[in-house]
Amino acid sequence: MTPLRQAVDFLVDGDFVERVHTGDDDFGFVPTVLGMVTGRLMVSPTVCHRLREVLSSIDVPKTADDAERQLIEVLAEHVPKLSHAAVSEALESRVLHLKWAHGFIDRGHDELEAQAHSGAETAAYLPGDLARAAMLAVANSPNAFRRDARTIGGVPYATMSAVLGEAPRYLHWLSCQGFLATVHPWVAIVAADLSRRIRWRRCQPPRGSGRLLWMCEQMATAAHADDVVPMLWAAATTRFAALFVLPRGLRR
């Protein structure tokens, strides 16, 4: 019974379930709103609780770039499916190069390019580096994720797709807590934006596009979202581009 009691205590302490009285001396358990969100997204309560603990110890980032990098770092290190994502030895140097370049693929960042080359030559591949490189690439080089792209910064798109498919679920879990006040607002805001940009990366959305992508999701029928959301996004950004601009504080 000890493991069961420990599991119940963990769920109660983590605010996933709460005790309720069902009689004079009896009580039961019901899921909290956070618990229902966790179950609906099918994410690990243990992993999620650890994410929340680590993020609560981080100082508020000073820039949007720092906020995205820190959030990506925490996910890549503490979500097992991201930290243990497999990559062949032949691709490790390319992944490291992309990570050290902070996901910038174009050649307009000479200083980062030099740092990336130097870092990739001397650093060892660490668990989670594929997830770091892939998420940073979405964050900082969205134009690279065009529909016909086979490689992203020298890394095959197929290699990235597994981690990019997993990350949005944990980011969405963090973003949902903006309504529950269980994480700092910066975590919820950045997670919400990054989650949708990764989910709809083939739309090549820049930073700050999460709100518009959310609107497209709400207008689309869930069963046809994969086809409809990109169409709605294209229509909105093509016909009404002047209305949907990044907030001034988020421009690079």
Side-chain angles (χ1 to χ4, degrees), residues 210-221:
R211 294 165 299 173
L212 178 55
L213 289 168
W214 175 82
M215 293 168 61
C216 294
E217 288 177 344
Q218 300 307 301
M219 290 186 286
T221 303

Side-chain angles (χ1 to χ4, degrees), residues 18-89:
E18 60 182 352
R19 291 184 173 90
V20 295
H21 288 286
T22 58
D24 292 338
D25 296 320
D26 295 328
F27 64 89
F29 299 94
V30 296
T32 62
V33 175
L34 179 61
M36 289 188 286
V37 170
T38 305
R40 178 169 57 84
L41 294 175
M42 294 187 292
V43 290
S44 165
T46 306
V47 173
C48 289
H49 185 65
R50 181 57 181 161
L51 290 177
R52 194 168 58 181
E53 282 186 331
V54 173
L55 288 167
S56 68
S57 66
I58 296 177
D59 293 334
V60 177
K62 296 182 178 179
T63 67
D65 284 324
D66 287 341
E68 287 181 347
R69 280 198 295 268
Q70 292 192 46
L71 189 57
I72 287 170
E73 176 61 34
V74 171
L75 260 69
E77 182 175 352
H78 295 286
V79 177
K81 288 187 177 180
L82 300 183
S83 62
H84 299 154
V87 62
S88 66
E89 291 186 9

Side-chain angles (χ1 to χ4, degrees), residues 86-96 125:
V87 62
S88 66
E89 291 186 9
L91 293 175
E92 287 182 357
S93 61
R94 298 181 187 179
V95 171
L96 285 172
Y125 185 88

Side-chain angles (χ1 to χ4, degrees), residues 122-137:
T122 59
Y125 185 88
L126 299 174
D129 275 348
L130 175 61
R132 294 180 183 93
M135 288 188 283
L136 285 169

Side-chain angles (χ1 to χ4, degrees), residues 119-212:
E121 290 292 328
T122 59
Y125 185 88
L126 299 174
D129 275 348
L130 175 61
R132 294 180 183 93
M135 288 188 283
L136 285 169
V138 173
N140 294 320
S141 298
N143 291 337
F145 288 84
R146 59 187 185 277
R147 287 193 171 275
D148 61 345
R150 300 293 182 88
T151 62
I152 309 293
V155 181
Y157 179 74
T159 302
M160 290 184 171
S161 60
V163 296
L164 293 178
E166 182 71 14
R169 293 196 298 137
Y170 286 91
L171 288 166
H172 186 50
W173 183 82
L174 291 169
S175 71
C176 288
Q177 295 179 69
F179 299 99
L180 306 177
T182 46
V183 297
H184 195 285
W186 81 262
V187 174
I189 292 169
V190 175
D193 187 58
L194 190 57
S195 172
R196 286 188 169 84
R197 287 160 57 205
I198 293 176
R199 168 71 176 86
W200 302 107
R201 54 193 175 274
R202 289 303 202 183
C203 293
Q204 302 173 280
R207 180 183 294 151
S209 299
R211 294 165 299 173
L212 178 55

